[in-house]
Amino acid sequence: MNYTLNQLQIFLKIVQTQSVTKAAEALHLTQPAVSIQLRNFQDQFDIPLTEVIGRKIYITDFGHEIAEAADQIISQVQAINYKTQAYKGKLSGKLKISIVSTGKYIMPFFLANFMKQHEGIELLMDVTNKSKVLESLKNNEVDFALVSIIPTTLEVEQLDLLQNKLYLVGSGDDAFDGETNTQKIFENRPMIYREQGSGTRQIMERFIKDNAISVFKTMELTSNEAVKQAVIAGLGYSIMPLIGIKNALRSNDLQIIPVDGLPITTNWSLIWLKGKKHSPVASAVLSHIQTEKEQIIQQKFQWYTQ
């Protein structure tokens, strides 16, 4: 057999995503390139690793065993690389962070310079909803989590990064008469929610409950980008974080609707389990963010803080 490390990585990603297309996207490769490498890899085995039924790819039992072995091989190769970097006196290893979906607009800026300074570090950043973020933190699967609402069910320590501001927004094409009575705003306009488990949805529901607002029509979408596009298209209104709609506001695709009780403000906070013993990589990035936080905010988020 003469398979390569690249083929092992591609096959493992196909198994993880259950899709050649998704594997190609995750690896930043073209779909034909991934298909060719998969075929070349499979040709080295007498037993099928995959089978295609209809247009869907399925992994055989033997394929799953090969994937497990591939995962172990790749982990060992990464360990060799980390040890090589450490021997040279360079910081190396994995940094695992789980962030809520709106966090993708801020977390990369707090990590960029650190990652440039330490090329031996592998960043694994999962962008998902609040429930899944807290689940990964609870299971100690990540070094840090980025949230906009501090959990009450976990004992955590925190580092506040940036204020989160949420406004009611509508399509830039809608004529708005300046009405600030919240109840009247929602009488004939559908409210577009994020899915259950989203921190933004939790904030919206709390605002509606605290202000005794009756929402007659609702929609539910599973990402902030989907909500934003639906609002731009005129399907309804939503309460959204300002950080993610900057360009849409500047292009007049969206407009902020001023109503009583808004904006809602929380904080994006980096949190970790209380008492957690950080790895050298996690300790280094935490120290970096603590030291550079104010400068990063001034350089990258001046428009937002003003």
Side-chain angles (χ1 to χ4, degrees), residues 191 193 203-213 215:
M191 173 63 87
Y193 287 92
I203 292 171
M204 290 174 61
E205 290 178 334
R206 184 184 303 165
F207 172 76
I208 289 170
K209 180 180 179 182
D210 290 347
N211 290 274
I213 299 168
V215 178

Side-chain angles (χ1 to χ4, degrees), residues 143-277:
D143 298 302
F144 303 104
L146 183 72
V147 296
S148 58
I149 303 174
I150 301 298
T152 58
T153 56
L154 294 174
E155 288 191 55
V156 300
E157 298 179 68
Q158 70 186 76
L159 173 62
D160 294 337
L161 299 185
L162 193 68
Q163 192 177 69
N164 183 21
K165 308 171 188 177
L166 296 99
Y167 292 84
L168 180 67
V169 294
S171 171
D173 294 332
D174 286 346
F176 183 66
D177 60 8
E179 178 63 70
T180 60
N181 183 286
T182 312
Q183 184 58 65
K184 290 184 179 180
I185 290 292
F186 295 135
E187 281 182 355
N188 298 308
R189 297 177 173 91
M191 173 63 87
I192 304 176
Y193 287 92
R194 283 285 307 279
E195 78 285 0
Q196 290 288 347
S198 160
T200 299
R201 180 181 182 125
Q202 183 179 342
I203 292 171
M204 290 174 61
E205 290 178 334
R206 184 184 303 165
F207 172 76
I208 289 170
K209 180 180 179 182
D210 290 347
N211 290 274
I213 299 168
S214 297
V215 178
F216 301 102
K217 301 177 182 179
T218 63
M219 299 174 62
E220 181 178 303
L221 300 175
T222 57
S223 73
N224 277 316
E225 184 62 28
V227 171
K228 182 173 72 175
Q229 294 302 325
V231 174
I232 290 174
L235 290 178
Y237 290 74
S238 189
I239 296 175
M240 300 193 69
L242 177 63
I243 196 74
I245 58 175
K246 171 186 175 183
N247 292 335
L249 290 172
R250 287 183 172 178
S251 63
N252 295 319
D253 289 329
L254 289 179
Q255 63 174 311
I256 290 176
I257 303 173
V259 296
D260 299 332
L262 293 177
I264 302 167
T265 58
T266 63
N267 280 303
W268 278 295
S269 301
L270 199 65
I271 63 174
W272 58 95
L273 292 176
K274 189 172 183 179
K276 181 177 177 62
K277 294 182 179 179

Side-chain angles (χ1 to χ4, degrees), residues 11-270:
F11 179 65
L12 183 59
K13 186 59 67 175
I14 291 171
V15 172
Q16 292 170 343
T17 60
Q18 299 289 304
S19 166
V20 171
T21 301
K22 291 180 180 178
E25 292 174 354
L27 295 169
H28 306 290
L29 298 171
T30 64
Q31 183 174 335
V34 170
S35 297
I36 291 171
Q37 290 299 321
L38 174 61
R39 183 172 65 251
N40 292 341
F41 184 59
Q42 290 191 115
D43 287 346
Q44 300 181 64
F45 299 90
D46 295 330
I47 304 172
L49 302 178
T50 65
E51 58 181 348
V52 177
I53 301 175
R55 300 186 65 181
K56 183 172 176 57
I57 190 169
Y58 294 89
I59 313 302
T60 65
D61 290 342
F62 180 64
H64 280 292
E65 292 188 17
I66 295 300
E68 185 177 341
D71 190 30
Q72 294 174 1
I73 293 171
I74 293 168
S75 295
Q76 289 299 316
V77 171
Q78 290 174 339
I80 291 172
N81 292 336
Y82 297 152
K83 288 178 181 178
T84 302
Q85 294 292 330
Y87 190 78
K88 293 179 179 179
K90 297 181 179 179
L91 191 64
S92 62
K94 290 184 179 181
L95 176 63
K96 298 180 180 180
I97 304 178
S98 185
I99 68 175
V100 294
S101 56
T102 51
K104 65 179 177 284
Y105 299 110
I106 67 166
M107 196 69 235
F109 294 102
F110 286 92
L111 296 174
N113 286 339
F114 179 81
M115 296 301 297
K116 290 175 183 177
Q117 294 167 12
H118 303 286
E119 295 180 355
I121 294 176
E122 180 183 359
L123 173 63
L124 303 175
M125 188 162 67
D126 182 35
V127 182
T128 183
N129 67 29
K130 178 194 168 191
S131 294
K132 293 179 181 178
V133 167
L134 295 184
E135 186 68 22
S136 62
L137 185 68
K138 178 183 176 182
N139 294 335
N140 200 27
E141 296 170 349
V142 295
D143 298 302
F144 303 104
L146 183 72
V147 296
S148 58
I149 303 174
I150 301 298
T152 58
T153 56
L154 294 174
E155 288 191 55
V156 300
E157 298 179 68
Q158 70 186 76
L159 173 62
D160 294 337
L161 299 185
L162 193 68
Q163 192 177 69
N164 183 21
K165 308 171 188 177
L166 296 99
Y167 292 84
L168 180 67
V169 294
S171 171
D173 294 332
D174 286 346
F176 183 66
D177 60 8
E179 178 63 70
T180 60
N181 183 286
T182 312
Q183 184 58 65
K184 290 184 179 180
I185 290 292
F186 295 135
E187 281 182 355
N188 298 308
R189 297 177 173 91
M191 173 63 87
I192 304 176
Y193 287 92
R194 283 285 307 279
E195 78 285 0
Q196 290 288 347
S198 160
T200 299
R201 180 181 182 125
Q202 183 179 342
I203 292 171
M204 290 174 61
E205 290 178 334
R206 184 184 303 165
F207 172 76
I208 289 170
K209 180 180 179 182
D210 290 347
N211 290 274
I213 299 168
S214 297
V215 178
F216 301 102
K217 301 177 182 179
T218 63
M219 299 174 62
E220 181 178 303
L221 300 175
T222 57
S223 73
N224 277 316
E225 184 62 28
V227 171
K228 182 173 72 175
Q229 294 302 325
V231 174
I232 290 174
L235 290 178
Y237 290 74
S238 189
I239 296 175
M240 300 193 69
L242 177 63
I243 196 74
I245 58 175
K246 171 186 175 183
N247 292 335
L249 290 172
R250 287 183 172 178
S251 63
N252 295 319
D253 289 329
L254 289 179
Q255 63 174 311
I256 290 176
I257 303 173
V259 296
D260 299 332
L262 293 177
I264 302 167
T265 58
T266 63
N267 280 303
W268 278 295
S269 301
L270 199 65

